[in-house]
């Protein structure tokens, strides 16, 4: 009788352990993945895309989107509160690893990949072709009038043009101060400060001739706006890629394969259009993410 009770007890313990293991793996035999993102449109769309694709591949997903800025997301990743989030190579280089800027995209990617692995055991997956760097933007009308298509041309044309700046742009080393040192002094006819949300509108309305932007902004889908070429490569590359916990990547390489398929579909034009659907057309980011994956055949029908 005693042997029977012992056997029964062992059987119950085994069942409990199996159930517990299944629960931590979402009941499907695959890991439950905690997906993070920062707190702006582009990061929210990407985070939702990753979550949907992983669910489609059979994973349970815990969405921890809209975390905050870089340091909040990075700390959450290091602590294991999230398993991965989309990050930008230039941000990883300058803000996280605190290394000097570099204009070569491959060098920057290789440097952050090596540095994150050695310092944090975090893995940079394959990068997209979407480079969310800073930029200067003018209107089509001004570009044609002054033959203005490159930032280097602003050194001679600035005295005839009005700049719509954003907070801190004039004083930052990666803003006008740094541009003046790198390209040569740009003596704009006037510099007025505007909120981020209206800088493009005041430029299109003719209150300013040049403004500050990010190269994947949804507003740049407007054919009346022209992104000036950073022809001397002042700003470092900010290519976006998922950054994944190394331990999880080793345990389940399938996760990287799912995420890399999405990265292969993203470039500046594509991300501008996705951002525009949320910021300009006022669609929900989750709907935009799902529609894109379906269009690209990255979700099962």
């Amino acid at each position: 009788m005693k042997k029977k009770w012992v056997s029964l007890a062992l059987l119950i313990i085994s069942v409990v352990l199996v159930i517990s293991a299944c629960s931590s793996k979402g009941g499907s035999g695959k890991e439950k993945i905690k997906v993070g993102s920062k707190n702006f449109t582009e990061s929210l769309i990407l985070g939702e895309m990753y979550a949907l694709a992983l669910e489609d591949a059979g994973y349970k997903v815990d969405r921890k989107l809209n975390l905050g800025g870089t340091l909040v997301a990075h700390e959450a990743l290091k602590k294991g509160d999230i398993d991965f989030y989309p990050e930008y190579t230039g941000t990883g280089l300058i803000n996280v690893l605190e290394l000097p800027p570099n204009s070569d995209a491959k060098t920057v990617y290789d440097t952050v990949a090596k540095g994150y692995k050695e310092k944090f055991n975090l893995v940079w997956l394959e990068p997209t072709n979407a480079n969310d760097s800073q930029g200067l933007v003018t209107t089509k009308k001004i570009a044609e009038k002054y033959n203005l298509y490159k930032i280097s041309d602003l050194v001679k044309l600035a005295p005839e043009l009005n700049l719509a700046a954003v907070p801190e742009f004039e004083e930052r080393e990666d803003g006008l101060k740094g541009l003046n040192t790198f390209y040569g002094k740009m003596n704009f006819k006037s510099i007025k400060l505007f909120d981020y949300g209206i800088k493009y509108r005041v430029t299109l309305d003719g209150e300013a001739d040049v403004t500050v932007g990010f190269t994947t902004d949804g507003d740049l889908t407007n054919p009346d706006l022209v992104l000036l070429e950073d022809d001397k490569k002042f700003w470092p590359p900010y290519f976006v890629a998922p950054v994944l916990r190394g331990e999880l990547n080793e345990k389940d390489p399938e996760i990287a394969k799912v995420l890399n398929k999405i990265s292969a579909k993203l470039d500046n034009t594509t991300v501008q259009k996705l951002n525009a659907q949320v910021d300009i057309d006022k669609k929900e980011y989750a709907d935009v993410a799902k529609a894109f994956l379906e269009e690209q055949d990255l979700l099962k029908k």
Side-chain angles (χ1 to χ4, degrees):
M1 178 62 73
K2 185 177 180 182
K3 286 185 178 178
K4 287 184 177 179
W5 279 109
V6 170
S7 298
L8 180 59
L10 290 173
L11 177 63
I12 292 172
I13 291 171
S14 299
V15 170
V16 169
L17 289 173
V18 168
I19 292 173
S20 176
C22 287
S23 176
S24 67
K25 291 187 175 184
S28 63
K30 292 188 176 182
E31 295 291 334
K32 186 173 185 179
I33 310 299
K34 293 169 286 188
V35 181
S37 83
K38 297 186 192 180
N39 59 349
F40 53 90
T41 298
E42 188 171 301
S43 195
L44 289 167
I45 295 172
L46 293 173
E48 180 64 20
M49 281 186 188
Y50 299 144
L52 288 168
L54 287 169
E55 287 173 336
D56 196 59
Y59 293 90
K60 291 287 185 181
V61 169
D62 183 5
R63 287 170 173 76
K64 296 195 173 185
L65 310 182
N66 203 21
L67 289 169
T70 296
L71 294 183
V72 174
H74 180 65
E75 287 301 316
L77 184 58
K78 284 199 303 180
K79 290 192 296 183
D81 293 341
I82 57 175
D83 291 315
F84 74 91
Y85 77 98
E87 186 53 279
Y88 299 84
T89 53
T91 304
L93 182 76
I94 298 169
N95 300 90
V96 177
L97 296 178
E98 298 182 330
L99 295 173
N102 188 299
S103 61
D104 184 79
K106 186 176 185 309
T107 298
V108 172
Y109 177 82
D110 290 345
T111 301
V112 295
K114 184 173 184 290
Y116 270 59
K117 181 63 178 173
E118 291 178 349
K119 198 169 183 179
F120 311 118
N121 192 25
L122 298 176
V123 177
W124 281 76
L125 302 186
E126 292 178 11
T128 68
N129 280 318
N131 179 19
D132 187 8
S133 185
Q134 294 188 71
L136 292 177
V137 179
T138 189
T139 63
K140 181 180 178 182
K141 183 178 178 182
I142 292 294
E144 291 176 345
K145 179 178 179 180
Y146 293 98
N147 191 28
L148 174 59
Y149 296 95
K150 299 182 295 185
I151 292 178
S152 58
D153 292 335
L154 279 174
V155 176
K156 63 179 180 181
L157 293 173
E160 300 182 61
L161 303 172
N162 301 299
L163 175 67
V166 294
E168 302 181 3
F169 182 73
E170 288 182 71
E171 295 79 25
R172 288 173 62 110
E173 290 293 341
D174 62 348
L176 185 59
K177 184 178 179 181
L179 281 168
N180 283 334
T181 302
F182 193 78
Y183 273 97
K185 182 69 174 175
M186 300 175 191
N187 291 307
F188 284 97
K189 185 178 179 180
S190 73
I191 300 177
K192 292 183 180 178
L193 194 62
F194 292 92
D195 289 336
Y196 283 94
I198 63 170
K199 62 186 180 181
Y200 287 121
R201 181 173 61 76
V202 299
T203 305
L204 286 166
D205 288 346
E207 293 182 54
D209 304 306
V210 178
T211 191
V212 186
F214 290 97
T215 53
T216 57
D217 280 348
D219 293 86
L220 296 179
T221 58
N222 187 333
D224 290 328
L225 290 173
V226 175
L227 175 66
L228 301 183
E229 180 189 355
D230 182 9
D231 50 314
K232 292 186 178 179
K233 300 189 183 305
F234 167 68
W235 281 297
Y238 286 83
F239 287 91
V240 64
V243 180
L244 178 67
R245 290 195 304 111
E247 182 182 335
L248 182 58
N249 187 50
E250 291 176 10
K251 192 174 181 180
D252 189 351
E254 185 65 26
I255 296 170
K257 293 178 182 177
V258 172
L259 303 183
N260 287 338
K261 287 180 182 176
I262 298 174
S263 294
K265 300 288 186 180
L266 298 174
D267 57 19
N268 273 26
T269 301
T270 302
V271 176
Q272 286 171 2
K273 291 177 180 176
L274 293 170
N275 287 334
Q277 291 182 57
V278 177
D279 292 336
I280 298 173
D281 301 337
K282 304 305 180 187
K283 294 182 180 178
E284 293 293 329
Y285 72 83
D287 295 336
V288 172
K290 184 179 180 184
F292 177 77
L293 294 184
E294 289 175 340
E295 289 169 5
Q296 299 298 322
D297 291 325
L298 292 175
L299 290 181
K300 297 184 184 75
K301 300 292 184 183

